Amino acid sequence: MINLTINGKKIQAPEGSTILEAARANDIYIPTLCYDEAVEVYGACGLCVVEAEGIPKLLRSCSAKVSDGMVINTESDRVVQSRKIALELLMSAHDGDCVAPCQLNCPARTDCQGYVGLIANGEYDAAIKLIKNKIALPASIGRVCPHPCETACRRKNVEEPINIAQLKAFAADIDLNGDSYVPDCKESTGKKVAIIGGGPAGLTAAYYLRQLGHSVTIYDMMEKMGGMLRYGIPQYRLPKEVLDKEIAIIEKTGVKLVNGKKLGVDFTIDSLKAENDAVIVAIGAWKSSSMRTPGEELKGVYGGIDFLRNVIQGNAPEIGEKVAICGGGNTAMDACRTAVRLGAKEIYVVYRRTRAEMPADKLEIDEAEEEGVIYKFLTNPISFNGDDGKVSSITLQLMELGEPDASGRRRPVPVEGKTEEIAVDSVIMAIGQKLVGEDVNELELNKWGNIIADEDFFTTNIDGVFAIGDATNKGASIAIEAIGEADRCVKAVDAYLNGEALDTRVPYISKRNEETIEYSDRDKVERKVAKVLPANIRNKSFDEVSLGLTEDDAKAEASRCLECGCREYFKCKLLDVSQRYDIHPERFAGEMPQKYSHDENSFIERNTAKCILCGLCVRSCKEVMNLSSIGLMGRGFKTDISPAFSLPLDKTNCNECGLCVQLCPTGALTEKNNIKKQVPLKEDYKEKDIMING
């Protein structure tokens, strides 16, 4: 036996063994992508380098032998720098998406591709469990989310994006109408967390904190939980019966719900802090934003959020027959469509840009128009006019589009001397909402009047008090943004309760160059959307407009997915090593050496662009199976791995043993079908018992 030291640990290793073998036998990590006991040492990836005292050059641990008294450092600055360069070179030629664009564009980082694929296969129970890893209220969010995931969906480059939001609602509705999934919770930690606010952020935080074993109580000022999902979204879009069922599931996990208790009246942040180990402030933004337009004080001028809340609570104001709604977002759409259902005859939406620039969901814009709403584009209110203190008309400044502003949309500018006046009975200002600042006078606010919360840890100026959602930093946004913040805040709170440090580093992932992706081989398939009630029926009641996707339509729609994200994400060795280091492959950006292409037989699917030329597939095919079905072709930067004479894989002598798939450290080789294959191995390697899917 040889005595040596690795990373300060004194160990012994058999004479003749390599440094890598000695390290692995003692649970010391050294990365490698081209090494496997099944084949001869190759040393292609360059990641297994280590530093040895007294030896000037770095050693490749897969081939360097141990010697008596050797002192090894596997993570010195020099070693790390060498590995980073090797990884950057490998990744600069690796053309693949670790994660699908839809997931990356979802503020909650929901695995859209994963649950869409499960729905396509009819695995609805698995789909809802995957969705609920990130979203506690999927049936509700599936109905109201403006789906930024779909904005990033690459299927739009073929015809239209996948209907991800309605697929989410489809799976969630099946769960709600059956034996609903209730997650298991860990044993009690003895830690208590108080959450102020029972909206999407507060409910989400409670749901995941309970699963971690913490005791959670939500305090909310309203008579029921749900926040803006309940009091800001009309019944025709989100039936409150659906929301109630989802909240009931959260309550089943052991979350305690306390309603009718208001911050600053029934308790303070300090009083909750005294009784709990942590406090999360998720009180939302309940005050309608002012337009600072003359005449706002007139009777009949309402804030958008106030108007919607009053209607939902059964206190609908008298709006008359002629109503003007100012704004172009989803709140404006909710307000105008609610006005329709309250019996107004002339409903105008006043918006200072064009239809193309409206931030509201296109479906909402179209359905509102079908219900009789009239759009007044390129107009901006300059005064609300009244008689005897009651609004009677609105003066509009005609606008035109100028240069783009900070948002990328063309800036509306007034057309000199051109105005228009329309008679109205009421005006609804739906231009935004903000925090009621006096509710949180214990916390530090920014210049916009929102709670200052650390963007990584969600901490506030009070130790142990965290803040999330519409009340913080940049102010009100969409519900899925608040949900994403809540999920990340849970990790920060859990680390705080356990006295641990939280790693907020964003791990590296590979992304494809959108400009190089080819779609010409994709067949165009019609997007499936849920049927809706006819306009002349739905505009007379608050019944839910959408009838939901049928099972056949849901499976057909889910099957349109291009599966952009890599199926090997959770077991990709290349990604695992890359995420251990801070790498920047763009430093070596250039022409990709291999074209993104697929080649397959009945068992193996091969994607040449993800190949890093580690050689494991070539060597295992030759040395273990004695076949040489594939080999290294070409020279230099454009070297690739392919069958001789560039034959298709199914035209070679490949016996579909699957060993190359098993050894591939990236997603370049994957199983095409769920077929188990026993691999006949060399005599000295049979104890490894390699199985595909085994």
Side-chain angles (χ1 to χ4, degrees), residues 611-638:
C611 178
I612 59 170
L613 301 179
C614 69
L616 278 173
C617 56
V618 175
R619 290 179 287 141
S620 62
C621 188
K622 179 180 179 180
E623 297 173 22
V624 180
M625 303 310 301
N626 197 30
L627 289 175
S628 297
S629 302
I630 51 178
L632 290 161
M633 306 294 289
R635 296 172 65 87
F637 187 62
K638 293 187 179 293

Side-chain angles (χ1 to χ4, degrees), residues 530-534 544-550:
K531 289 183 171 59
V532 298
L533 293 174
E544 184 172 12
V545 168
S546 175
L547 302 179
L549 290 169
T550 66

Side-chain angles (χ1 to χ4, degrees), residues 67 138 150 159 258 325 327 365 367 408 414 510 516 548 579 618 659 687:
S67 61
E150 294 181 24
E159 9 51 11
V258 179
I325 289 88
I365 298 169
E367 289 185 354
S510 173
T516 66
Q579 291 187 337
V618 175
L659 180 56
E687 67 271 19

Side-chain angles (χ1 to χ4, degrees), residues 124-133 135-136 172 174-176 178-184 207 211 246 249-250 252-253:
Y124 309 132
D125 289 345
I128 197 61
K129 289 178 181 178
L130 183 58
I131 294 168
K132 284 204 160 190
N133 281 342
I135 300 179
I174 290 176
D175 179 67
L176 288 183
D179 186 13
S180 298
Y181 167 65
V182 180
D184 294 329
Y207 181 72
Q211 292 178 51
E246 296 204 296
I249 292 173
I250 294 174
K252 282 182 181 179
T253 66

Side-chain angles (χ1 to χ4, degrees), residues 4 16 42 47 50 54 60 66 72 76 135 227 232 241 265 307 332 377 379 397 399 469 488 531 548 625 636:
L4 69 155
Y42 194 56
L47 295 178
V50 296
R60 299 208 175 198
V66 297
I72 300 292
S76 69
I135 300 179
E241 298 80 6
V265 176
F307 167 71
F377 295 117
T379 59
Q397 170 69 61
M399 313 290 287
R488 300 194 302 277
K531 289 183 171 59
M625 303 310 301

Side-chain angles (χ1 to χ4, degrees), residues 148-161:
C149 53
E150 294 181 24
T151 303
C153 176
R154 288 193 184 131
R155 187 78 206 194
K156 68 184 178 185
N157 298 314
V158 180
E159 9 51 11
E160 294 184 272

Side-chain angles (χ1 to χ4, degrees), residues 182 308 536 611 642:
V182 180
L308 292 170
N536 63 343
C611 178
S642 63

Side-chain angles (χ1 to χ4, degrees), residues 359-398:
D361 188 278
K362 182 180 182 299
L363 184 66
E364 293 291 314
I365 298 169
D366 293 343
E367 289 185 354
E369 190 169 45
E370 291 170 1
E371 293 168 8
V373 171
I374 302 166
Y375 291 108
K376 302 285 289 184
F377 295 117
L378 290 172
T379 59
N380 192 45
I382 55 175
S383 70
F384 305 134
N385 315 308
D387 296 320
D388 300 323
K390 170 75 169 63
V391 69
S392 59
S393 70
I394 178 172
T395 302
L396 305 176
Q397 170 69 61
L398 273 60

